[in-house]
Amino acid sequence: MDTIYLLIVLAPLFGAIAAGLFGQQLGRTGAHTATIAGVAVSFLLSLVVFWHHMIGGAEVYNETVYTWLVSDGIRFEVGFLVDNLTALMMLVVTFVSLMVHIYTIGYMREDPGYQRFFALISLFTFSMLMLVMANNFMQLFFGWEAVGLVSYLLIGFWFKRPTAIHANLKAFIVNRVGDFAFVLGIAAIVFYTGSLDYATVFGQAEGMSQATIRVLPGTEWSLLTVACILLFIGAMAKSAQVPLHVWLPDSMEGPTPISALIHAATMVTAGIFMVARMSPLYEFSVTALSFVLIIGAITAFFMGLVGLVQNDIKRVVAYSTLSQLGYMTVALGASAYAAGIFHLMTHAFFKALLFLAAGSVIMAMHHEQDIRRMGGLRKYMPITYATALIGSLALIGFPGLAGFFSKDGIIEAVSLSEIPGAGIAYVLILLGVFVTALYTFRMFFLVFHGEERFRHGAPGTNHDHGHDHEGHGHGLKGDPKESPWVVTVPLILLAIPSVLAGYFVGPLLFGDVFAGVIHVDETRDVLALLGEGYTGVMGFIAHGLVMPPFWLAMAGLATAWFIYMKRPDLADSARRRAPWAYNLLSRSYGFDQFNDVVFARGTQRLGQWLWRFGDTLVIDTAIVNGSARTVGWLSRQVRHVQTGYVYHYAFAMIIGLLVLIMAFAF
């Protein structure tokens, strides 16, 4: 198996190297063939590993591949930990990545950076695989930073657009804030355990929970709690949790395929995976779990509300990602790690499907992204319509589709949790179900149903999707057309698991798939408690039909249909009557303005003040120029002593000798 694990990681890397360094020689066909072949090999071998571990019950693989260095007894190694959690993540990452690679052939066919884009998305896949397969913190951090670096390059792929450059810098800087805390968390763990190896660290988790650290003078904090919160702050940036979420909506400046890859299978899921992997640590800190729970609930509900006022089709789906990541985070905080990972898996399929469907619409609309200038596309794009409907229903948790099982599992688990904050979290994620259905089907109805607004544009709208419109076909001359097969085939293949993946709810949530991999304190095992009433998939569906999440989702869907199809004047009326609410949501609660004023401009002003006071006044005036003037003054005074007369020097020597004699005598 050693060779298989190496090939899974290295195959996408080889494809990235081929397309990146030899793209001009290979040409477009050669570049996409090399990268797709590499990811396809990785996917097929991941299927083998998935079968070997999840079905065949193979033992956990935990081996060192390469020792980089040993410093003061701490080993820095490259190694693989392959268990059921890793096998599931590998399969999800490689499958979604493969679909995105194939889709990219159609979406980027006219882009001059074709080979570069394929090289970067293949490198993205390699980075994520290194992260999920790591058996130590050093390799985890390598993958953590690598996905951040590649996302920076991909978000700013169209580097001639100022908005793209602003977006990738924003993503990079916000993630550096989280990464600073992440490094401190790793340092705290290494300080106590003296090791970077997962197994060694997990074995000392109970001892760490008894140790304390002085964060502020006179206060002792649990070392493990501090380390877990610091690690989670890193996850807050990577998985876009409030308030470190601000980079994710702006990441839409990148091409649609990378939006799908970032939001579905790579970067944003890294934080969720990391916390689940660190469950042996988090289970010893209720404080850390409560912190995770509250942050996730706030993100799930309040970021969903922002999705209600977005008009860019990709931004609607982006805020949906923020909200769904909140649901996953809530599950982690409630010690329902398996439910969080289950939702990560199902979400990867239907969210990739929605992003790629949005890209298909954008292609048909000549790169128009304003949903107010669409409408009636159902009859022109039947495949995109059908797959987008499946993705939308899965997202809102329609019974029988993947999102229904994973989202309901989280909500039910949180309702049973006794961790501080669980009551508030339950209310927020329950309300979030209605909000999710409302913004999802607002987008769906405005894009695929109703009046065909794309020929003349919707009255009173403006193009606010963040780039120029030259050649974008606002006011289309002809009918939109369905996308080519390289676009529609990935949509169909992603629609299949968006329907069927939820039927693994039994083994993943209530079985022993993650036994020995994810550790949960028996007193907080809400999934075990929930599993006592599990009677099978059909019983789960029947139970869901009489529970509040289903009716809230249907209410949200019906509300979207009534407001945006039957009475669109109601939305305009609500906006006029409560402009403060609309402005609050359209500005995303002012997070960007706050960061701009306090951090961006604040640090700029601080730098200017330091330059004027520190550099100009202190360094230049006082130290540099001041010392020069002092030396000049002293030299002028000393110059008067040098008269050139011998008797002056003799007199000075006699005076000096007398001073020495007196000092010696007295």
Side-chain angles (χ1 to χ4, degrees):
M1 295 296 289
D2 298 33
T3 304
I4 290 179
Y5 298 142
L6 281 172
L7 280 174
I8 289 172
V9 171
L10 295 178
L13 178 62
F14 290 150
I17 292 172
L21 298 183
F22 308 104
Q24 294 300 320
Q25 292 82 355
L26 293 173
R28 293 184 167 223
T29 303
H32 73 233
T33 300
T35 52
I36 291 174
V39 176
V41 167
S42 188
F43 167 64
L44 293 174
L45 293 178
S46 294
L47 270 177
V48 173
V49 172
F50 182 83
W51 183 272
H52 190 62
H53 283 269
M54 300 285 279
I55 309 299
E59 293 184 359
V60 173
Y61 178 92
N62 186 8
E63 299 291 341
T64 298
V65 176
Y66 172 71
T67 300
W68 180 39
L69 64 87
V70 179
S71 176
D72 196 24
I74 300 175
R75 303 182 67 85
F76 295 80
E77 299 172 330
V78 175
F80 297 145
L81 170 60
V82 182
D83 51 24
N84 288 350
L85 176 60
T86 309
L88 180 65
M89 290 296 298
M90 290 162 61
L91 186 64
V92 170
V93 169
T94 54
F95 174 70
V96 173
S97 180
L98 179 60
M99 295 301 100
V100 170
H101 274 70
I102 296 170
Y103 177 95
T104 300
I105 297 174
Y107 193 88
M108 301 291 288
R109 64 183 183 274
E110 298 176 1
D111 197 280
Y114 189 86
Q115 292 96 317
R116 177 166 58 94
F117 188 81
F118 271 99
L120 290 174
I121 59 174
S122 194
L123 188 62
F124 210 169
T125 307
F126 159 75
S127 302
M128 190 64 186
L129 287 170
M130 285 292 285
L131 189 155
V132 301
M133 294 176 69
N135 71 348
N136 62 82
F137 284 95
M138 188 205 77
Q139 187 174 327
L140 172 72
F141 186 69
F142 166 79
W144 195 267
E145 292 302 302
V147 294
L149 172 63
V150 182
S151 69
Y152 165 80
L153 296 172
L154 284 165
I155 293 169
F157 182 79
W158 287 320
F159 53 84
K160 292 184 179 180
R161 292 182 183 173
T163 51
I165 297 302
H166 178 267
N168 72 351
L169 282 173
K170 189 175 183 179
F172 194 79
I173 292 170
V174 172
N175 274 275
R176 296 295 72 73
V177 174
D179 291 350
F180 179 67
F182 191 66
V183 170
L184 290 178
I186 295 175
I189 291 170
V190 175
F191 174 77
Y192 180 85
T193 64
S195 176
L196 289 163
D197 182 69
Y198 287 166
T200 303
V201 171
F202 295 162
Q204 299 186 47
E206 187 172 1
M208 285 182 67
S209 67
Q210 305 300 320
T212 59
I213 184 173
R214 184 172 296 175
V215 179
L216 298 173
T219 59
E220 296 288 338
W221 289 29
S222 166
L223 173 63
L224 189 62
T225 296
V226 172
C228 286
I229 290 176
L230 287 170
L231 290 176
F232 179 67
I233 292 173
M236 286 169 62
K238 203 65 76 185
S239 293
Q241 298 296 291
V242 172
L244 300 180
H245 68 285
V246 293
W247 67 271
L248 193 60
D250 288 358
S251 69
M252 297 302 96
E253 287 296 332
T256 298
I258 193 51
S259 299
L261 200 54
I262 288 177
H263 287 244
T266 55
M267 188 158 168
V268 298
T269 63
I272 307 299
F273 166 79
M274 184 275 294
V275 176
R277 175 61 81 195
M278 299 298 144
S279 62
L281 303 180
Y282 279 87
E283 282 303 292
F284 283 101
S285 176
V286 175
T287 303
L289 289 174
S290 182
F291 181 71
V292 172
L293 183 71
I294 294 298
I295 292 294
I298 291 171
T299 304
F301 178 67
F302 289 100
M303 291 301 105
L305 287 177
V306 179
L308 292 172
V309 300
Q310 300 300 310
N311 297 311
D312 185 311
I313 186 172
K314 287 173 65 177
R315 279 185 171 264
V316 177
V317 186
Y319 277 101
S320 164
T321 300
L322 283 169
S323 181
Q324 297 308 304
L325 287 167
Y327 277 88
M328 299 175 209
T329 304
V330 166
L332 300 175
S335 289
Y337 303 97
I341 293 297
F342 186 36
H343 196 51
L344 183 157
M345 178 188 76
T346 61
H347 175 264
F349 299 133
F350 61 71
K351 186 50 59 69
L353 173 59
L354 283 173
F355 263 114
L356 298 188
S360 178
V361 169
I362 292 168
M363 290 171 63
M365 297 299 297
H366 295 187
H367 293 274
E368 172 63 78
Q369 294 180 205
D370 193 328
I371 59 177
R372 297 169 297 179
R373 292 182 173 268
M374 298 180 187
L377 294 180
R378 174 185 178 183
K379 66 180 181 182
Y380 301 107
M381 308 180 71
I383 298 176
T384 301
Y385 171 80
T387 53
L389 178 60
I390 291 172
S392 298
L393 291 173
L395 173 59
I396 71 169
F398 190 81
L401 276 69
F404 165 77
F405 296 99
S406 57
K407 186 184 288 186
D408 272 33
I410 291 173
I411 295 171
E412 290 290 325
V414 174
S415 71
L416 298 174
S417 176
E418 296 182 356
I419 289 175
I424 297 173
Y426 177 70
V427 172
L428 289 178
I429 61 177
L430 202 56
L431 293 174
V433 173
F434 174 83
V435 175
T436 300
L438 182 56
Y439 68 67
T440 300
F441 275 89
R442 169 183 177 263
M443 174 186 70
F444 184 81
F445 288 137
L446 288 177
V447 171
F448 293 105
H449 290 270
E451 178 190 358
E452 296 179 0
R453 298 178 300 278
F454 50 80
R455 301 189 193 282
H456 50 78
T461 62
N462 55 17
H463 305 297
D464 60 353
H465 49 268
H467 54 75
D468 65 89
H469 310 280
E470 184 179 348
H472 281 194
H474 299 299
L476 296 181
K477 300 296 188 295
D479 292 338
K481 295 181 176 60
E482 183 61 274
S483 300
W485 70 267
V486 288
V487 171
T488 55
V489 167
L491 293 179
I492 295 169
L493 292 177
L494 283 166
I496 295 171
S498 296
V499 175
L500 301 178
Y503 291 89
F504 292 98
V505 61
L508 288 177
L509 286 196
F510 311 120
D512 59 354
V513 168
F514 295 125
V517 178
I518 291 175
H519 300 268
V520 181
D521 190 301
E522 291 182 0
T523 62
R524 292 193 292 270
D525 197 348
V526 289
L527 289 179
L529 191 61
L530 190 62
E532 293 175 1
Y534 178 69
T535 58
V537 171
M538 298 312 297
F540 194 105
I541 294 175
H543 176 72
L545 290 174
V546 298
M547 295 302 289
F550 169 71
W551 294 106
L552 285 169
M554 294 304 99
L557 191 157
T559 302
W561 173 81
F562 181 74
I563 292 177
Y564 296 102
M565 291 291 97
K566 292 298 182 182
R567 293 288 305 277
D569 58 293
L570 291 177
D572 295 332
S573 175
R575 188 162 51 245
R576 288 193 302 269
R577 291 183 179 183
W580 61 269
Y582 178 80
N583 291 334
L584 182 67
L585 294 178
S586 63
R587 293 176 181 175
S588 189
Y589 308 106
F591 279 106
D592 282 328
Q593 290 84 352
F594 177 81
N595 291 333
D596 183 48
V597 172
V598 176
F599 293 108
R601 295 183 187 175
T603 52
Q604 185 180 41
R605 288 169 183 157
L606 176 62
Q608 290 173 345
W609 181 84
L610 289 173
W611 172 71
R612 290 172 183 169
F613 177 78
D615 191 61
T616 305
L617 295 178
V618 177
I619 296 177
D620 286 349
T621 304
I623 298 176
V624 178
N625 296 334
S627 60
R629 284 193 294 268
T630 301
V631 170
W633 180 83
L634 285 173
S635 64
R636 286 193 299 272
Q637 303 309 311
V638 172
R639 185 173 57 196
H640 295 299
V641 177
Q642 302 294 327
T643 62
Y645 294 108
V646 175
Y647 63 87
H648 285 172
Y649 301 148
F651 179 74
M653 291 171 65
I654 292 170
I655 295 298
L657 181 61
L658 290 173
V659 170
L660 289 174
I661 292 172
M662 291 175 65
F664 179 77
F666 295 100

